[in-house]
Amino acid sequence: MDQDRPRVETGRVLWSDGMDLLQDAAERKHLLPTGLEGIDTLLGGGLRKGQLTELTGQSSSGKTQACLYSAAHVAARHMGAVLYLDTSNSFSPSRIARILDELPISFIKEPKDVRLKRVMSSIICESVFDIFALFEVLNQLEVSLNNKVNNGGKKICLLIIDSISSLLAPIIGGKYSQGRSMMISVAMILKKLADKHNLSVLVTNHMVAGNGAPKPALGESWKAVPHIRLMISRDRGSNICTATILKHTLLASGRHMKFAVPG
Amino acid sequence: MTGDAGCGPREWLAVDETAADFLSRSLSTRPPILLPPPLHRAPLRPGNVVEIAGPSNSGKSQLLLMAAVQCILPKEWEGVYFGGLGKAVMYIDLDCRFDVLRLAQILRKRITHGCGSAHPPSEDFEKDVSKDKFHSFQDTLFSDCMKRFLYVRCYNSSELIATLKSLNSQSEARSKVFGIGIYFLLLDSIGAFYWIDRAPQPTTESKGTTISFQSITENVVQEIRKFLQLQPVLVLVTKAPTYGEGITASNDFQRGSSKYMLDDSTASRYSKREEEKNSSCREYMPSAWQTLVTHRIKLQDLAQEAGFSSEQDNNVLSVHTSEWVHPPLNTKEKFYIKDDGVGFIQ
């Protein structure tokens, strides 16, 4: 009988009550602005730390732009370091420089090149091309976050994975269940990192053809993973994008807002 | 037993208690619980296990939060009637998607609503003293209620089993400190680790035994039963469906056959999709779990069923339906989710 019982971990089980959770939310789980007004207004301020946000949309609808804007704004406002995991070589330092140039005058407190250097050193960009490399990077991140207690260097506060669906879509589906189990394992690791180390995680997803309208990729099992799911669409031939809430822990789904992505 | 051989049989035949005594004892120790709609149709008592099943975004976690708020609010507080149960709630989060701000939002709206109906707002707002007292009264009540909400997260099955093993000692410790016992046990998403546990894993045990989803679920069921024996609580569990491996096969079928059905009305295409969904999301929990569950309710999101439309109005409330599967009631009731919780459509 004992052979069937799984090994119980010897860590202590931590219970917290409602007031502890509220205090933690107020003190630690702040909002990170993305820099795109429409998304920030829709989300009530920005991406929340401790939560996993998914941006889904068709190709060239503005998902990578939104990721670059978030990275630039979070780094520029001294909120912490950004880890940008890039699966398709879409990270562009020149685009970050142009985004910084668009910042309003009130933010300029130092010369442009100094700020550019500081922002670039706060964004850590790594290329990940398959799921195993992703596991490796996330493990390294967890180890370094566990060990770094109060280092002088900047603590990572935003983790962007652009796009996670290109890593996960090839492995799910088919006869074997390993692909789906890897997807759920990645999801659990991301949520654990977000909550324990106070990160905000932003992932992007692409869309596939469904019965009629296109739907987000990665299927039904992924739907239960992110805290917040947003859909971005771009009006043809213009710079105006629309962001729609598909799922949110606090707000009603269906709310949408238009915003402009310059350049 | 051998010592009582002389008076044994007579005592054994003597009546312990009458049926009336039994019923009154049972009703007093395990009184019926009235939950907010749509969970109010079936009679529930502590010791029951209710499974709330439904696809993503159908309102399952919202129902759990409504039940939690109902439990942590007191029946009456300084003259204001709230109609709650005034007991503690334990919430085990396996999905790790709980948002404490949503719970706080629902609780605050309930408290304001209760206070507002008891003390109608007075016309002269210069009475700052009474207004401050009003706010501090609400804040004390709010913090008292939030302290009765206990929360824990589990990131894998072994943590879940460890948590379940420690439930009894935790609840005893808390009731000693606060004087209030646990009345509800909420579990968000029992199938959260289904795919992780199903995949064959390399084990570190020397005998090479694999830990299967079946044995994990049997352990979970055993721990819950043990806890229910020591402390009868109402257990509410949400369950998301799992779509089987054959989902790509059934999609191909749909695409192939739709070529020949161009003139079909939307009604038949709709029912075909629903049929396909029903056949591909099968019951994945082992029979041990199914015997533990005493009540089942199924939720659906009407907007999703009709197909996703991106041109929705900002003010349209999404309507959800609920259907009691066990005990089978054969009626679908509608409800919608708004800021202060769940609203029931009669």
Side-chain angles (χ1 to χ4, degrees):
Chain A
M1 267 306 276
D2 268 297
Q3 288 169 350
D4 288 331
R5 300 176 85 95
R7 272 224 316 241
V8 173
E9 262 159 48
T10 49
R12 281 184 54 208
V13 175
L14 290 168
W15 286 87
S16 42
D17 67 44
M19 289 309 282
D20 294 338
L21 293 175
L22 266 185
Q23 199 180 12
D24 177 63
E27 284 171 12
R28 290 173 67 218
K29 303 282 195 283
H30 302 299
L31 294 164
L32 298 174
T34 60
L36 293 166
E37 265 192 49
I39 297 187
D40 283 343
T41 323
L42 199 58
L43 292 179
L47 307 168
R48 187 173 282 278
K49 287 189 185 179
Q51 289 192 337
L52 175 61
T53 309
E54 175 197 332
L55 274 181
T56 182
Q58 309 248 16
S59 1
S60 79
S61 53
K63 308 186 296 283
T64 308
Q65 294 303 314
C67 294
L68 291 171
Y69 264 85
S70 309
H73 276 254
V74 165
R77 291 177 211 215
H78 300 267
M79 289 181 160
V82 177
L83 178 58
Y84 196 106
L85 300 182
D86 193 6
T87 65
S88 47
N89 287 331
S90 53
F91 181 77
S92 152
S94 53
R95 184 81 180 108
I96 298 263
R98 268 181 290 150
I99 294 173
L100 287 178
D101 286 340
E102 286 163 18
L103 277 179
I105 313 279
S106 54
F107 278 112
I108 298 180
K109 290 193 182 91
E110 53 200 331
K112 265 194 186 172
D113 46 352
V114 171
R115 182 181 65 183
L116 184 60
K117 212 173 181 177
R118 175 178 62 83
V119 166
M120 285 306 185
S121 65
S122 314
I123 302 180
I124 306 164
C125 183
E126 289 213 25
S127 288
V128 215
F129 296 117
D130 58 64
I131 184 76
F132 303 105
L134 178 64
F135 272 121
E136 184 72 37
V137 168
L138 291 179
N139 273 331
Q140 280 177 4
L141 177 64
E142 192 170 357
V143 165
S144 74
L145 283 173
N146 278 333
N147 292 338
K148 210 187 271 190
V149 177
N150 260 325
N151 218 359
K154 281 165 273 204
K155 191 170 172 297
I156 292 183
C157 64
L158 176 62
L159 169 62
I160 301 180
I161 306 184
D162 182 25
S163 64
I164 203 169
S165 54
S166 59
L167 300 176
L168 294 176
I171 57 171
I172 60 179
K175 265 201 310 176
Y176 303 102
S177 56
Q178 277 99 334
R180 249 172 275 220
S181 89
M182 283 203 271
M183 176 171 82
I184 301 293
S185 304
V186 164
M188 281 300 169
I189 293 176
L190 288 175
K191 286 198 267 201
K192 190 173 185 178
L193 281 174
D195 190 55
K196 274 194 183 163
H197 302 284
N198 226 19
L199 304 177
S200 176
V201 183
L202 176 64
V203 300
T204 59
N205 192 4
H206 63 281
M207 297 191 88
V208 291
N211 293 322
K215 54 176 185 163
L218 298 180
E220 296 287 327
S221 324
W222 177 259
K223 274 190 182 175
V225 166
H227 289 89
I228 300 173
R229 302 181 75 209
L230 295 176
M231 190 179 80
I232 293 193
S233 56
R234 187 197 288 261
D235 300 341
R236 200 176 301 180
S238 79
N239 279 338
I240 311 289
C241 303
T242 315
T244 316
I245 294 185
L246 294 180
K247 189 184 184 76
H248 198 286
T249 48
L250 281 177
L251 307 168
S253 51
R255 288 183 53 193
H256 54 262
M257 197 150 297
K258 288 196 192 286
F259 59 96
V261 180
Chain B
M1 233 168 83
T2 46
D4 301 324
C7 47
R10 279 209 189 269
E11 276 186 7
W12 188 64
L13 285 174
V15 168
D16 279 337
E17 60 180 354
T18 61
D21 290 339
F22 177 32
L23 191 62
S24 63
R25 175 173 66 89
S26 168
L27 283 177
S28 62
T29 51
R30 298 197 190 193
I33 301 171
L34 188 64
L35 286 180
L39 293 168
H40 61 299
R41 292 276 183 225
L44 294 171
R45 294 164 66 223
N48 286 145
V49 177
V50 182
E51 182 191 89
I52 304 171
S56 166
N57 219 12
S58 52
K60 311 184 290 283
S61 308
Q62 298 298 318
L63 288 191
L64 280 192
L65 287 180
M66 291 297 290
V69 165
Q70 174 79 1
C71 185
I72 57 182
L73 274 177
K75 188 154 184 194
E76 214 186 336
W77 178 269
E78 296 199 12
V80 183
Y81 178 76
F82 288 105
L85 298 166
K87 304 257 180 107
V89 157
M90 281 180 144
Y91 191 106
I92 303 182
D93 196 1
L94 303 182
D95 246 358
C96 307
R97 278 196 309 168
F98 174 72
D99 194 354
V100 68
L101 298 177
R102 176 68 178 149
L103 175 70
Q105 188 183 36
I106 300 179
L107 186 60
R108 273 212 193 272
K109 291 233 155 90
R110 272 288 291 261
I111 291 180
T112 321
H113 182 74
C115 288
S117 54
H119 305 290
S122 56
E123 259 128 42
D124 37 349
F125 285 99
E126 296 109 278
K127 290 188 180 172
D128 283 321
V129 176
S130 68
K131 227 180 159 202
D132 283 341
K133 199 172 143 202
F134 190 62
H135 282 303
S136 75
F137 157 84
Q138 286 196 348
D139 288 340
T140 336
L141 176 59
F142 179 79
S143 69
D144 268 359
C145 290
M146 288 300 267
K147 288 211 180 88
R148 288 188 213 130
F149 182 85
L150 303 171
Y151 174 84
V152 76
R153 281 191 167 201
C154 298
Y155 293 105
N156 51 49
S157 303
S158 8
E159 286 186 26
L160 171 62
I161 295 180
T163 308
L164 290 175
K165 281 185 193 287
S166 74
L167 268 184
N168 195 35
S169 51
Q170 265 291 326
S171 75
E172 274 178 10
R174 296 267 172 176
S175 59
K176 269 192 203 135
V177 171
F178 290 111
I180 300 173
I182 310 289
Y183 212 52
F184 281 14
L185 175 64
L186 309 177
L187 216 87
D188 200 354
S189 220
I190 185 70
F193 308 128
Y194 172 70
W195 290 110
I196 300 180
D197 294 332
R198 259 207 56 175
Q201 297 159 19
T203 57
T204 50
E205 269 142 73
S206 54
K207 299 218 171 138
T209 51
T210 48
I211 303 163
S212 66
F213 180 66
Q214 177 118 0
S215 62
I216 289 177
T217 313
E218 282 168 10
N219 266 312
V220 168
V221 167
Q222 200 179 22
E223 296 300 330
I224 295 180
R225 274 196 212 276
K226 269 198 243 171
F227 181 61
L228 284 179
Q229 270 185 340
L230 295 169
Q231 178 140 26
V233 296
L234 177 66
V235 183
L236 294 172
V237 179
T238 58
K239 191 178 83 154
T242 306
Y243 297 89
E245 287 95 0
I247 185 71
T248 45
S250 53
N251 262 343
D252 285 343
F253 172 68
Q254 172 81 354
R255 240 182 278 135
S257 60
S258 64
K259 268 193 282 176
Y260 306 104
M261 291 186 186
L262 287 172
D263 298 320
D264 268 6
S265 59
T266 31
S268 67
R269 221 183 290 139
Y270 170 95
S271 61
K272 197 174 188 320
R273 201 185 309 140
E274 194 179 291
E275 216 179 80
E276 161 200 87
K277 245 194 188 165
N278 282 338
S279 60
S280 58
C281 63
R282 52 195 168 79
E283 179 62 56
Y284 58 92
M285 297 299 291
S287 55
W289 174 259
Q290 295 183 36
T291 47
L292 176 69
V293 171
T294 57
H295 293 74
R296 276 196 189 92
I297 185 169
K298 200 169 72 160
L299 302 182
Q300 265 171 356
D301 183 6
L302 279 186
Q304 254 179 12
E305 282 295 309
F308 182 79
S309 98
S310 56
E311 299 297 323
Q312 269 176 356
D313 203 1
N314 262 336
N315 290 326
V316 165
L317 293 169
S318 55
V319 179
H320 305 254
T321 62
S322 72
E323 185 184 352
W324 278 99
V325 175
H326 185 97
L329 287 177
N330 282 334
T331 47
K332 277 197 180 178
E333 294 169 320
K334 294 194 184 157
F335 66 95
Y336 55 89
I337 299 175
K338 50 187 165 76
D339 271 352
D340 52 346
V342 169
F344 193 59
I345 301 177
Q346 295 292 342

